[in-house]
Amino acid sequence: MANGETGGAGREDIDRRVEAMFGRPLLGDARLDQMMGVILALAGEVAVLRAQVAELRAARGPEAPRALPAEAVDRDMGAFVEELFRPLLHPDFDPGAGGTAASRLGDTGGRR
Amino acid sequence: MTRDTLAYEAHQSFLRHAKVALMSRLFPAVRDKVAAAAAQGLPNDPLEADAVVLERLGDDPGYRFYCWLERYIQFFKYRSRHGLAAEAADPEAPYRAWLAEPGAANLDLAEVDVPAYYAAVDTHQHPGNLHGDDLAGVVYKLSAATTQPGSTDSYGLHYRFADWVAPRIDAPSRIVDLGCGFGKSTLPFAERWPDATVEAVDLSAGCLRLAAREATERGCANITYRQRDALATGYEDGAFDLVTSTMLLHEVDQPTMPDLHRETFRLLAPGGWLVHLDFKGRDAVEAFFLHGHGVRNNEPFMAAQDMDDTAAALSGLGFADVSIVPFAEYDGALAPDNRSWRLPWTVFLARKPAAA
């Protein structure tokens, strides 16, 4: 960034201003930050469980190796993240039709 | 993979993929919005410009999720029960054996006072910071591999840096690496100039132990690692013809920065070169993301460093040929069509005049 344009701001002033602009809460509400933290923690635990289940299944195969290759774990995590983050990564992510049941079913109420 | 490491590897892999998605999939759209906000015109004051961009972004959910993920992926990388800190502390893990024994010929440990401004934060969200204990170096090394997953690794960027520097300076015979960490920035210089004497200093004993062991393992016998403050190294005046650092500038508090610049000038022999690798936004958009990253990643001096007039500070001390140049940490990093998240790596190059 071009420098020397800080209006004479001192270090403490810079620190205070950047913290105020970019600090928490990051989702606009500290409770949302915390709840998203719970969700990401859960997702991390699911990721670990996926790997552990995959290793157990691999170990039961007749000629399967006893340990799961790191590459297999990594490949599965890529697929898991793609699915998990789908609502964030696809701007056109559509959870489906909205509205009330009555408005979707029309005058017949679903009866034919 | 053994059962003992499966949970750790799986969890870190999950977070690594999440970060790749953040960098290469989520970030480009957010960057477009910030660029559109900046294109409407901004004040000259970088912080006022940041404020205007934020106001124009409003409550944009993509930007908010980007910010949240940037902070919390890093948080869980270090601090979850499958995180780096827990892994390094596992008594059955091999990491303690990575640490060099005190008394190693290439290691000089001595208690140093850690500056209060540095001790006050958990840099990078690293629990206890990089100087915290002997395992801090292990945690830092494990972490460094995923700073920019998919584009850089622990060492590749540093070899690129040494490659970049080599044709631009006179071959040095005495090199000092300030704030060397676990040695990832020192090794490429020491290997490029194997006949040079290389000194490397850092505050962190844990990092230095790791660095000394790795240098020994690689047969790199021209480095000595010393636990010293980069701002007051204790070396004689003019002891070096290359003074270098990597990711040091943005970890120095601004009131202390003149002390660092003075020390580098003092350490250089006449005609010697100064080369820092650090960060500087090329425009208001890069600066906006850099300033925010500094807050979200517990690197509180990043914004001030970005705004600092480093060229004027170096010239004022008597340095000549000062140049500040964007650095491509991988092929295509600086290409206009590169839309992935990256830190704005920048080289700060200067020379002490031969007549000084």
Side-chain angles (χ1 to χ4, degrees), chain A residues 1 3 5 45 67 74 82, chain B residues 1 13 25 81 281 306-307:
Chain A
M1 184 61 194
N3 46 39
E5 300 287 352
E45 294 297 333
D74 200 54
E82 182 67 29
Chain B
M1 186 180 301
S13 172
R25 307 279 299 282
R81 71 193 186 101
D306 177 58
M307 293 185 286

Side-chain angles (χ1 to χ4, degrees), chain B residues 277-299:
Chain B
L277 179 61
D278 215 275
F279 310 115
K280 199 168 193 67
R282 286 176 292 173
D283 54 33
V285 174
E286 282 193 349
F288 176 84
F289 284 108
L290 181 65
H291 300 168
H293 174 82
V295 173
R296 291 187 289 271
N297 207 41
N298 293 4
E299 299 180 83

